[in-house]
Amino acid sequence: MKFNITNLARKNVKELVPYQSARKIGGQGNIWLNANESPISNQFILQENYFHRYPECQPKSLILRYANHVKISPDRILVTRGADEGIELLMRAFCEPRVDSIIYCPPTYDMYAVNANILGINVCNIPMLKNWQLDVQSIKKKSLGVKLIYICSPNNPTGNIINNKDIHLILNIFSNSSLVVVDEAYIEFCINNSLVSWLQSYPNLVILRTLSKAFALAGLRCGFLLADAEIIRILSTVIAPYPLPTPVSDIAYQALSKKNINIMENRVLELNSNKIWLINKLKALKCVLKVFKSDSNYILVRFLNSEKVFRLLWKKGIIVRNQNHKIYLNECIRISIGAFNECVELINILKLFT
Ligand SMILES: *Cc1c(COP(=O)(O)O)cnc(C)c1O
């Protein structure tokens, strides 16, 4: 009998479908509004030019700069290979496969459930309420075996902030049993909503941050996990010995200089103003049913016929992200805020449609 390699794979791995992105499918775009990347970038030059030594596991100077940026103590920070690595590390450190669960509140960022499925950790699905806030009553009922509760705020793909009072409630209900992970990947676009100041009062709060979005460094793969020092200690027993390549921490360190943080903040202002322009133009189009409020660098839009809109834009080289398949998101497309000329081009093409 012929040797079948597929059978070697773990049972749950055989059932996995890889994370889909337009880049993987091979979209031929010239305007990429699908992955919430920054349309604008500044240029970096490596300061370090020799790479024969292994890097520091947790580069001290980089951590100090981030600590200074978020105003917390450096022993509460772990640097990771993007926020995505933080999402996974927490599961590897805190969840017993097939025994423990995470709470997942769709529609939200897929990677929480994707990672749990890869690791064989149970996913407890508790959809958001119709107003896209947490269903605290249902979350409250699930305490057995729940180790991690993932909350994305502003939520991807809906764009809204999650109510503080609900997060308060959940932190208190689960204060002795679970970590509450607040994913602040987009928080720089509405920085006053950050929960970083809560870290002092809640030892079970974990906050995820990234340089991929407002800092315009998606290609760098660098993120930060902020939490109680004991959580950081536990995670550092699980993280790879050399998770950050030397060029990554070199550039991340530069990106956190006073000057570059200022550039980031101006970029946020510019994108937020493009967002307001785009929302107003979209609302005037006949093919648009609803434009949802957004505190982030993307907007969720419900169209009369999202499939047709998606295909027209794709044909014209504008790549956006279809959300049609997700709970409550029928006929919805998520559009990242691009540079101003990209927003104009998007509207011009959508006008052809109406
Ligand atoms: C983009 C994104 C991430 C991933 O960030 P990386 O640092 O690029 O891994 C995490 N969470 C949410 C909600 C995101 O949208």
Side-chain angles (χ1 to χ4, degrees):
M1 205 173 81
K2 198 172 171 296
F3 176 52
N4 185 343
I5 291 178
T6 310
N7 283 339
L8 278 182
R10 287 162 57 212
K11 183 166 165 293
N12 64 316
V13 170
K14 276 184 267 189
E15 289 158 9
L16 296 174
V17 187
Y19 189 85
Q20 284 300 345
S21 67
R23 296 234 184 250
K24 275 195 188 169
I25 305 163
Q28 292 289 314
N30 46 35
I31 298 185
W32 292 83
L33 305 178
N34 63 309
N36 303 338
E37 297 149 333
S38 166
I40 329 155
S41 174
N42 44 325
Q43 198 178 7
F44 290 90
I45 293 161
L46 284 180
Q47 302 297 302
E48 180 63 59
N49 294 299
Y50 297 95
F51 304 108
H52 60 126
R53 299 293 182 193
Y54 282 116
E56 266 181 286
C57 177
Q58 289 291 300
K60 277 187 214 66
S61 54
L62 174 57
I63 290 200
L64 278 174
R65 271 205 170 166
Y66 204 74
N68 194 38
H69 173 56
V70 291
K71 301 188 174 58
I72 62 174
S73 111
D75 63 352
R76 288 173 173 269
I77 300 178
L78 188 80
V79 200
T80 56
R81 196 193 332 103
D84 279 347
E85 188 184 34
I87 292 168
E88 193 209 7
L89 277 178
L90 287 159
M91 294 187 205
R92 291 207 283 132
F94 288 95
C95 297
E96 205 70 70
R98 276 164 293 278
V99 176
D100 294 329
S101 337
I102 66 156
I103 284 183
Y104 176 67
C105 306
T108 189
Y109 189 48
D110 291 329
M111 290 306 287
Y112 316 132
V114 167
N115 278 298
N117 288 331
I118 292 171
L119 295 169
I121 292 160
N122 302 324
V123 176
C124 181
N125 249 288
I126 304 189
M128 300 266 189
L129 301 170
K130 292 261 156 73
N131 63 356
W132 292 335
Q133 291 296 329
L134 298 171
D135 182 353
V136 180
Q137 288 316 310
S138 304
I139 291 175
K140 202 172 166 178
K141 290 184 197 140
K142 303 273 179 198
S143 53
L144 212 68
V146 170
K147 289 285 184 69
L148 300 168
I149 301 165
Y150 285 91
I151 298 172
C152 187
S153 184
N155 187 39
N156 178 3
T158 56
N160 61 294
I161 286 283
I162 302 300
N163 290 337
N164 275 2
K165 85 172 173 2
D166 291 346
I167 301 181
H168 252 300
L169 277 172
I170 290 173
L171 280 163
N172 286 322
I173 296 166
F174 292 88
S175 63
N176 289 315
S177 57
S178 314
L179 300 186
V180 178
V181 184
V182 179
D183 186 339
E184 293 192 342
Y186 301 95
I187 202 68
E188 292 86 358
F189 294 96
C190 54
I191 194 63
N192 294 333
N193 292 288
S194 174
L195 301 188
V196 166
S197 65
W198 294 18
L199 286 167
Q200 291 289 350
S201 343
Y202 292 100
N204 62 330
L205 172 63
V206 177
I207 294 178
L208 300 173
R209 291 286 191 90
T210 179
L211 298 186
S212 298
K213 308 288 163 54
F215 280 89
L217 287 168
L220 192 64
R221 311 305 302 127
C222 184
F224 299 88
L225 185 149
L226 320 178
D228 187 81
E230 179 59 12
I231 295 176
I232 303 298
R233 192 197 62 78
I234 294 169
L235 293 173
S236 51
T237 63
V238 175
I239 200 166
Y242 311 109
L244 287 193
T246 303
V248 172
S249 53
D250 181 329
I251 289 167
Y253 178 77
Q254 297 180 49
L256 293 165
S257 70
K258 222 175 150 155
K259 175 174 150 251
N260 281 326
I261 286 175
N262 197 260
I263 290 175
M264 179 276 288
E265 287 165 348
N266 286 325
R267 189 186 301 123
V268 163
L269 292 178
E270 182 180 340
L271 290 172
N272 279 345
S273 115
N274 293 354
K275 173 169 68 184
I276 292 167
W277 183 89
L278 191 62
I279 288 174
N280 286 325
K281 293 291 179 188
L282 283 166
K283 280 184 173 166
L285 294 175
K286 283 204 206 80
C287 61
V288 170
L289 282 180
K290 186 169 170 119
V291 183
F292 293 93
K293 189 180 172 298
S294 166
D295 284 301
S296 200
N297 72 333
Y298 49 87
I299 41 183
L300 189 70
V301 185
R302 177 165 281 134
F303 289 92
L304 266 173
N305 187 336
S306 66
E307 198 52 49
K308 257 183 159 163
V309 169
F310 184 88
R311 268 188 278 124
L312 171 76
L313 291 175
W314 181 280
K315 233 175 43 208
K316 301 276 185 184
I318 299 187
I319 313 295
V320 292
R321 188 131 172 126
N322 206 338
Q323 302 288 334
N324 209 1
H325 54 286
K326 290 193 178 168
I327 182 167
Y328 304 143
L329 302 190
N330 57 307
E331 305 299 339
C332 285
I333 288 178
R334 189 193 67 194
I335 303 172
S336 309
I337 307 301
F340 188 69
N341 66 306
E342 295 175 326
C343 296
V344 171
E345 189 150 340
L346 174 77
I347 293 296
N348 286 342
I349 289 171
L350 287 176
K351 273 185 186 157
L352 298 176
F353 205 79
T354 39

